[in-house]
Amino acid sequence: MKHSEQLALAGFLAFVAGIVWNVHYSLLALAAPAHTYDGPLMIGGFIAAAGVIATVVGLRGHHSGR
């Protein structure tokens, strides 16, 4: 497996982890005031965004390496 493929896979897994993180804290926020979970929701969003960026970079590297 090439490094670009590993980066794309890691990025996809980080994206999924960020989404799962946000779903978890969104469900907790339903039971408590929304302002309580602003920080964790932002962290989940950053993790998901970093995952998307890593996936795009990995896929671009994979296609340019052919």
Side-chain angles (χ1 to χ4, degrees):
M1 185 179 269
K2 294 183 191 176
H3 292 293
S4 58
E5 292 171 346
Q6 291 174 345
L7 180 62
L9 180 61
F12 177 73
L13 293 176
F15 172 73
V16 170
I19 296 300
V20 169
W21 178 289
N22 274 346
V23 167
H24 171 75
Y25 278 102
S26 294
L27 292 174
L28 287 177
L30 290 174
H35 69 277
T36 306
Y37 294 103
D38 285 349
L41 290 173
M42 288 178 58
I43 291 170
F46 289 134
I47 292 170
V52 168
I53 291 168
T55 301
V56 168
V57 169
L59 290 175
R60 289 182 70 118
H62 176 71
H63 291 299
S64 67
R66 285 186 170 183

